[in-house]
C-alpha cells in the first residue's frame, strides 16, 4: 500500500519496505525485501492501492503522483479560506518551493512550460526545494493565481479531475491557449475566469 495525502497534519518520516514476489510487489513479513524507500510527507496520509500510483523521484525521496495532486488541491482550497490581505502577506513571504512539483504533476507540465509559468529555471526551483527555501514573490503570486482560477474551474465542472483536464488542454475560446499557462499573467487569468463564468451560466467553451 502507498500513501494518499490529506491536509493539515504533519507527521514524522515514514519508513516502509516494499516486498518482492513473483506476481509483483506488496508488503509481507514472509518475503525478502526488494526496495526500501524513505518519504517525509507534508500532511497526514491514508493507505491507497499501489496499482494506482505513479512515483516521482525528488532528490532522495519518492513521492506519488496522487500525493502531489492532492497537495496542489489542498493549497488551492486554502486560498478560498483566506482574506485578500492574508493572501497578499503569504505571497510576499513566498510559498514553499516544493509546491512547484505539485503544480507540475497536477497539470503534467514540461520543464520549459513550468519555467515560463513560474518565471524561474527548473534548476533554481529544484535547488530552492532541496534547501527548503521559499519562492520569490513573482512565482508565489502566479501560484496563488493558478490556485484561485482552479477553484473556479472546480466549481464550474463540479469535479477536480474535470477541472484539471480543462485547465490542461488548449481551448478554442481562449485562442487555443492552455488555461493554466494563461495564468502566467493577470490579463490571461481574467480571460480564463471569463470563460469559466460563461460555462457556469450554461455556455459552451
Amino acid at each position: 500500500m502507498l500513501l494518499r495525502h490529506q491536509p493539515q497534519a504533519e507527521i514524522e518520516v515514514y519508513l516502509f519496505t516494499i516486498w518482492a514476489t513473483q506476481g509483483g510487489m506488496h508488503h509481507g513479513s514472509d518475503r525478502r525485501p526488494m526496495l526500501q524507500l524513505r518519504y517525509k510527507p507534508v500532511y497526514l496520509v491514508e493507505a491507497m492501492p499501489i496499482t494506482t500510483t505513479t512515483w516521482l523521484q525528488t532528490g532522495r525521496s519518492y513521492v506519488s503522483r496522487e500525493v502531489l495532486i492532492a497537495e496542489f488541491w489542498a493549497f488551492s482550497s486554502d486560498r478560498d479560506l483566506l482574506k485578500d490581505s492574508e493572501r497578499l502577506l503569504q505571497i510576499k513571504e513566498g510559498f514553499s518551493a516544493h509546491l512547484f512539483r505539485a503544480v507540475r504533476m497536477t497539470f503534467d507540465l514540461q520543464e520549459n512550460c513550468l519555467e515560463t509559468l513560474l518565471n524561474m529555471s527548473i534548476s533554481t526551483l529544484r535547488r530552492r526545494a532541496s534547501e527548503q527555501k521559499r519562492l520569490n514573490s513573482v512565482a508565489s503570486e502566479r501560484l496563488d493565481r493558478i490556485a484561485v482560477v482552479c477553484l473556479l474551474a472546480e466549481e464550474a465542472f463540479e469535479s477536480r479531475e474535470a477541472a484539471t483536464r480543462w485547465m490542461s488542454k488548449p481551448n478554442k475560446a481562449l485562442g487555443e491557449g492552455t488555461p493554466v499557462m494563461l495564468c502566467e499573467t493577470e490579463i490571461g487569468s481574467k480571460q480564463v475566469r471569463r470563460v469559466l463564468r460563461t460555462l457556469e451560466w450554461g455556455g459552451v467553451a
Side-chain angles (χ1 to χ4, degrees):
M1 301 293 283
L2 301 182
L3 304 173
R4 183 185 293 277
H5 156 294
Q6 286 184 345
Q8 306 307 321
E10 291 188 357
I11 64 175
E12 298 299 322
V13 171
Y14 180 78
L15 181 63
F16 60 94
T17 303
I18 293 178
W19 301 88
T21 66
Q22 266 188 324
M25 295 186 294
H26 63 80
H27 292 293
S29 57
D30 60 338
R31 308 293 182 182
R32 65 180 181 84
M34 178 181 179
L35 178 65
Q36 196 174 56
L37 304 176
R38 183 180 294 271
Y39 167 52
K40 184 177 182 181
V42 179
Y43 302 102
L44 188 65
V45 295
E46 64 184 16
M48 65 175 294
I50 191 169
T51 54
T52 63
T53 302
T54 301
W55 287 99
L56 173 68
Q57 184 173 5
T58 58
R60 295 182 179 179
S61 297
Y62 290 77
V63 186
S64 75
R65 179 176 182 271
E66 286 77 9
V67 167
L68 291 170
I69 292 174
E71 183 177 349
F72 169 78
W73 282 107
F75 171 74
S76 180
S77 296
D78 285 344
R79 303 300 92 200
D80 200 36
L81 303 176
L82 300 174
K83 299 177 182 177
D84 287 349
S85 58
E86 293 172 324
R87 286 172 53 205
L88 182 59
L89 181 61
Q90 288 188 357
I91 289 170
K92 288 181 177 179
E93 291 177 345
F95 295 124
S96 174
H98 72 81
L99 277 170
F100 91 86
R101 295 189 178 106
V103 173
R104 181 182 181 184
M105 186 62 74
T106 300
F107 302 105
D108 194 24
L109 295 171
Q110 298 296 319
E111 288 185 356
N112 63 322
C113 292
L114 189 67
E115 290 176 331
T116 298
L117 190 58
L118 299 182
N119 193 39
M120 192 173 290
S121 70
I122 195 70
S123 59
T124 299
L125 289 167
R126 287 172 176 160
R127 184 175 67 253
R128 285 178 179 258
S130 65
E131 296 174 354
Q132 298 185 349
K133 291 183 177 180
R134 295 180 179 273
L135 298 171
N136 59 30
S137 59
V138 173
S140 295
E141 181 179 15
R142 294 182 181 190
L143 278 176
D144 179 86
R145 189 183 300 148
I146 294 165
V148 170
V149 171
C150 283
L151 278 178
L152 295 176
E154 182 184 3
E155 291 175 5
F157 291 99
E158 300 181 345
S159 163
R160 289 180 173 179
E161 291 77 11
T164 300
R165 288 194 297 271
W166 187 86
M167 291 288 296
S168 305
K169 294 181 179 179
N171 190 288
K172 290 183 179 180
L174 294 168
E176 296 300 334
T178 305
V180 67
M181 293 304 298
L182 288 172
C183 290
E184 175 192 355
T185 65
E186 180 60 28
I187 293 175
S189 69
K190 284 182 179 178
Q191 293 177 332
V192 176
R193 290 196 293 269
R194 173 182 54 78
V195 173
L196 286 171
R197 291 192 187 98
T198 300
L199 286 170
E200 282 192 295
W201 296 335
V204 179

